[in-house]
Amino acid sequence: MKSQGVLWVLLGLLLWLEPRTASLPLVMDFIIQALTELEQKILVTQVNGTASAWILSAQDSSLHNPLHRHLLLKTENHKATELGPHPLSPEIQDLISEVAQHDVRDGQEYGVVLAPDGSTVAVQPLLVGLEAGLQGHRVVDLPLNCLATPCDAGDDLPDVGAIWPGLRNASPDASIPDVGATLPNGKTKASTIVERLLAITLAGDLSLPFFHSPQTRSPPGLGTEGCWDQLSAPRVFTLLNPKASRLTMAFLNGALDGALLADHLNQIHKPHPPLSHLLRQYYGAGVAGDPEFRSNFRRRNGASVTSALTLAQQVWGALVLLQKLELGHPQLKNMSQEQLAQVATYASKEFTEAFLGCPPIHPRCRWGAAPYRGRPTPLRLPLGFLYVHHTYVPSLPCTTFALCEADMRSMQRFHQDTRGWNDIGYSFVVGSDGYVYEGRGWHWVGAHTLRHNSRGFGVAFVGNYTGTLPSEAALLTVRDLLPSCGIRAGLLRPDYKLLGHRQLVHSDCPGNALFSLLSTWPHFTATEN
């Protein structure tokens, strides 16, 4: 229970302290250091568990989100010893105060930190998700009939069967099957803990942008990325879309990380490990020595336990509860349960397809790209070809963000300074760290396949694949995820053709082993015509 107490203290500090300007870089390592300091100082009673009651009541503070306030605070009282007025070192306390609330304003995002894998993570949804999981079933069951009193263990969601069958017909994409959403007998499968936790962390932010136009495929700024002022000591995060909503990539990363880690805590025996230890593993080499269970693969892990339909049920339940908790909510007050359910369906489908179903792409600024030389030529989209390469040099796969970003800069220097090109030649580069790295991207003509650059995208695996193959995750990205997301966005034709570089240019690229595998993939073609 000590982990739960430490997290509540940190949540209390997040919401009590006035935002200030910290001197430390905004990186995940210092969030972990804050947890470490609290774990060393706090003494929580093992019987009742958490210091949240003392921190939040002593400072007259509460969670600003009605769902969080109701579900996380209306639990049994916990006893904790007083930590004193300064539980954290001054620099760490200033940092925590700066990331107190997640917000988007004037084109910048606040309350986010840079993680070791190169991703940006919103701190508040990460901690809220963890706390919801630590509190167990009374929170993650998302009961709707415990508005006035603390939720009891027996409270359950009401039967949504009367509403849900019609939602498939109401969806504009009803013909697309929701894989894994139903059981063989036709009944909706039971929701996972991850889905219930995501409903708590995402419900309002995920759904509210859709209320203006439920038929819109994607709300403004869904999953918007951004750029740090500097990678060595990040302080300011500027969004690439100045009109972005709060539903940014960093927010989605934080919410999903919190849900996945909370699910892990629910499955292991108590006592729980220190949260600082858990986060250090998750944002490092992998939890409990599992390299697949780390932040690099958050989307793949989330997709394996989540479906659009069952997540939509949970988000719908959270919206109904939010509507009852905040009677005057401007967007919810006149909405019927059927309308709320429809919006939850659209929003959850967008989240599972556009976020969980797409590979994470680090933008150019994340790997420190030099400026394009000259004026780039726009592509005439959608394109009909995907050309696969290997870099050959670097010859080794890059398995960490530090290695991959260095390889990207090295290749760009070679392409610009030695070959005399305007930029790195590839459209995208795929590392073995779970990430895609943006080269010239979806919209600009590359320099990857001579005389064919304007007809297709050039995608390169980092490494020499003459005798070996890329990682399974990297192969899945190029075979399935990247093309399907390009098709969904209208950038790649559904009937696109896939070719190896050697089929169009005198070259051994992409290596004998990789080309042999490519020839077995869907969309592979022996000739371009």
Side-chain angles (χ1 to χ4, degrees):
M1 298 298 287
K2 184 175 181 179
S3 296
Q4 188 175 347
V6 170
L7 185 55
W8 262 114
V9 172
L10 188 54
L11 280 169
L13 289 169
L14 286 176
L15 295 156
W16 166 40
L17 295 170
E18 290 294 327
R20 296 155 60 180
T21 300
S23 58
L24 293 174
L26 298 178
V27 295
M28 182 62 70
D29 287 345
F30 286 120
I31 301 300
I32 295 173
Q33 183 176 331
L35 286 168
T36 302
E37 289 188 16
L38 287 171
E39 287 162 349
Q40 292 172 348
K41 189 168 184 179
I42 190 172
L43 295 174
V44 181
T45 59
Q46 294 298 312
V47 175
N48 290 321
T50 174
S52 60
W54 182 87
I55 290 291
L56 296 175
S57 61
Q59 308 306 331
D60 193 25
S61 177
S62 63
L63 295 168
H64 75 289
N65 184 305
L67 274 179
H68 300 165
R69 183 169 62 247
H70 177 75
L71 293 170
L72 296 181
L73 294 183
K74 286 199 171 184
T75 58
E76 59 186 287
N77 291 327
H78 299 291
K79 297 178 181 179
T81 58
E82 186 170 328
L83 297 179
H86 302 294
L88 296 171
S89 59
E91 282 191 325
I92 292 293
Q93 192 148 325
D94 285 347
L95 177 76
I96 292 300
S97 72
E98 189 170 358
V99 297
Q101 301 283 351
H102 176 257
D103 196 12
V104 171
R105 60 182 186 274
D106 300 326
Q108 293 186 354
E109 187 170 10
Y110 300 87
V112 298
V113 295
L114 179 63
D117 66 346
S119 64
T120 301
V121 179
V123 175
Q124 190 179 19
L126 166 65
L127 297 178
V128 167
L130 278 171
E131 177 58 25
L134 286 170
Q135 288 194 17
H137 65 269
R138 66 166 47 84
V139 171
V140 299
D141 279 348
L142 202 62
L144 302 183
N145 56 344
C146 54
L147 299 178
T149 59
C151 305
D152 297 323
D155 290 332
D156 295 311
L157 274 168
D159 182 9
V160 297
I163 294 177
W164 218 256
L167 290 181
R168 286 187 178 275
N169 296 329
S171 171
D173 297 311
S175 60
I176 300 176
D178 189 2
V179 179
T182 57
L183 296 172
N185 60 9
K187 295 182 179 179
T188 303
K189 78 176 181 68
S191 63
T192 66
I193 289 177
V194 170
E195 286 163 335
R196 298 195 291 272
L197 289 166
L198 283 172
I200 295 169
T201 57
L202 287 174
D205 294 278
L206 179 61
S207 301
L208 294 182
F210 287 86
F211 279 100
H212 297 294
S213 178
Q215 303 298 330
T216 301
R217 188 173 186 83
S218 177
L222 174 66
T224 298
E225 263 289 5
C227 295
W228 289 99
D229 54 340
Q230 53 182 326
L231 293 175
S232 58
R235 297 286 308 133
V236 178
F237 192 68
T238 302
L239 293 165
L240 294 175
N241 180 358
K243 297 181 180 180
S245 69
R246 282 171 43 87
L247 201 64
T248 62
M249 195 66 70
F251 182 88
L252 296 176
N253 287 341
L256 183 56
D257 288 351
L260 291 171
L261 288 170
D263 180 44
H264 171 73
L265 290 170
N266 271 271
Q267 294 183 34
I268 61 177
H269 296 295
K270 295 181 180 180
H272 292 132
L275 291 178
S276 60
H277 179 70
L278 180 62
L279 292 184
R280 192 173 290 111
Q281 289 186 330
Y282 182 74
Y283 293 107
V287 175
D290 181 2
E292 300 300 310
F293 188 26
R294 53 183 172 136
S295 56
N296 304 59
F297 302 108
R298 60 168 66 87
R299 296 196 196 190
R300 185 173 67 180
N301 292 330
S304 68
V305 293
T306 309
S307 70
L309 182 59
T310 48
L311 177 60
Q313 288 180 297
Q314 295 298 312
V315 172
W316 169 79
L319 288 175
V320 172
L321 179 54
L322 181 60
Q323 186 184 52
K324 293 181 178 180
L325 291 171
E326 200 169 359
L327 297 177
H329 195 291
Q331 291 172 287
L332 301 179
K333 60 182 179 181
N334 296 320
M335 300 289 288
S336 68
Q337 290 196 13
E338 288 81 0
Q339 289 173 313
L340 293 178
Q342 188 179 48
V343 170
T345 301
Y346 292 131
S348 299
K349 187 173 186 296
E350 185 70 19
F351 172 75
T352 53
E353 291 185 1
F355 179 67
L356 294 183
C358 287
I361 301 176
H362 282 319
R364 291 170 58 88
C365 60
R366 197 65 50 81
W367 55 268
Y372 188 94
R373 295 177 181 175
R375 179 177 295 179
T377 302
L379 289 165
R380 300 179 65 178
L381 302 169
L383 301 186
F385 296 91
L386 197 65
Y387 306 127
V388 179
H389 302 248
H390 70 168
T391 62
Y392 190 73
V393 177
S395 61
L396 296 177
C398 63
T399 55
T400 66
F401 173 67
L403 292 174
C404 291
E405 64 166 340
D407 284 347
M408 291 296 294
R409 291 192 297 270
S410 175
M411 285 186 286
Q412 187 187 41
R413 285 193 299 269
F414 175 71
H415 288 177
Q416 288 184 321
D417 298 339
T418 302
R419 293 197 179 275
W421 298 346
N422 292 331
D423 196 5
I424 188 171
Y426 307 117
S427 305
F428 297 99
V429 177
V430 181
S432 293
D433 63 336
Y435 285 96
V436 176
Y437 290 77
E438 182 186 26
R440 301 208 190 183
W442 292 112
H443 298 283
W444 308 108
V445 174
H448 45 77
T449 311
L450 186 63
R451 293 184 294 275
H452 300 270
N453 292 314
S454 63
R455 302 191 67 190
F457 299 105
V459 180
F461 292 91
V462 177
N464 176 0
Y465 297 105
T466 301
T468 61
L469 289 173
S471 68
E472 285 295 327
L475 291 169
L476 177 67
T477 293
V478 177
R479 187 190 68 194
D480 298 332
L481 300 180
L482 190 64
S484 67
C485 289
I487 292 170
R488 187 178 189 275
L491 304 167
L492 185 67
R493 288 173 47 177
D495 61 346
Y496 78 93
K497 296 180 180 180
L498 182 144
L499 295 94
H501 186 203
R502 64 171 61 182
Q503 294 174 264
L504 302 169
V505 177
H506 182 66
S507 171
D508 291 331
C509 180
N512 292 338
L514 179 54
F515 182 73
S516 178
L517 180 64
L518 290 182
S519 65
T520 68
W521 285 7
H523 292 275
F524 177 83
T525 183
T527 60
E528 189 178 26
N529 296 321

